Amino acid sequence: GAGESAAVDVKLAELEQEVKEFRRQNKLLEKLRGEAEQERSTVAAEESKIASHWKEAEERFEKYKEAETKKLRRERKDAEKHVALWQAQAQDLRAERDALRQEIQVVQDDASRREKKLKGELERLKAKQEETHARNEEVTRELKFSEEARIAVQDRERAAR
């Protein structure tokens, strides 16, 4: 009769409300999932860019090191030629040798400074990569937490029925 119809109407209204709430939570979860995916994509792009910069920096450093080594060998060879040519003139030879040693030291000091600078850049890029990786893990944990919360809500709703 009328009592059953009213009870059915009440139950129908409750179910419609639950469906509305479920859809609202689903939209929120989809939004969160989309944001997490976008963040993950951004982090992956940053990691890729950092890895690329890091590799380029390492390649530049290796090329620089090879060029400096060749340059130092060439300069040393030149210095030895000068020594051989002026061996008869001992005083001039000592002055030339000292000048060449100073020049080599300047080049080595310069190479050392450049190497330290490149190593600093590499360390900075490594730190940035680690920071990006940590952020990616954080976003993954947040997504997992959101998914677990959604599942818990669904379980509670099923249990309440």
Side-chain angles (χ1 to χ4, degrees), residues 5-158:
S5 176
V8 167
D9 287 344
V10 167
K11 187 64 175 177
L12 182 61
E14 287 174 5
L15 289 174
E16 286 174 352
Q17 192 59 33
E18 284 183 68
V19 167
K20 252 188 205 178
E21 178 61 18
F22 177 76
R23 285 184 180 152
R24 186 191 68 75
Q25 288 179 359
N26 249 1
K27 278 184 184 178
L28 178 60
L29 182 60
E30 285 302 316
K31 178 183 173 194
L32 289 173
R33 187 178 289 136
E35 290 171 358
E37 280 302 316
Q38 180 151 2
E39 182 71 21
R40 186 178 291 128
S41 175
T42 300
V43 167
E46 286 179 23
E47 281 182 336
S48 175
K49 188 188 293 183
I50 288 169
S52 174
H53 286 306
W54 187 5
K55 184 176 180 181
E56 288 172 13
E58 286 179 325
E59 289 171 356
R60 283 193 316 267
F61 176 73
E62 285 303 316
K63 285 179 184 177
Y64 167 76
K65 192 167 84 174
E66 288 173 17
E68 287 299 312
T69 300
K70 278 184 179 180
K71 185 177 173 183
L72 288 173
R73 284 186 187 133
R74 201 169 43 246
E75 288 175 2
R76 182 178 181 138
K77 190 175 180 181
D78 288 346
E80 290 170 357
K81 281 182 187 177
H82 289 294
V83 167
L85 290 174
W86 295 314
Q87 210 165 22
Q89 303 167 357
Q91 193 172 13
D92 292 342
L93 174 66
R94 282 192 293 275
E96 182 71 19
R97 186 184 64 214
D98 291 344
L100 288 171
R101 283 184 178 163
Q102 280 184 326
E103 185 178 331
I104 289 171
Q105 185 62 47
V106 167
V107 170
Q108 287 174 337
D109 291 347
D110 186 47
S112 176
R113 282 190 298 277
R114 289 180 189 168
E115 182 178 349
K116 285 178 186 176
K117 181 180 176 184
L118 288 172
K119 282 183 181 178
E121 183 178 345
L122 284 174
E123 289 173 12
R124 185 185 61 75
L125 289 172
K126 283 180 186 178
K128 180 73 173 172
Q129 183 181 24
E130 289 171 6
E131 176 185 321
T132 302
H133 181 71
R135 177 65 183 137
N136 189 25
E137 288 180 350
E138 179 183 338
V139 168
T140 301
R141 283 192 302 273
E142 288 173 3
L143 179 61
K144 182 178 177 184
F145 176 77
S146 295
E147 186 68 22
E148 289 171 356
R150 183 188 67 79
I151 290 170
V153 167
Q154 284 180 339
D155 290 346
R156 282 195 302 271
E157 287 175 358
R158 279 194 212 109

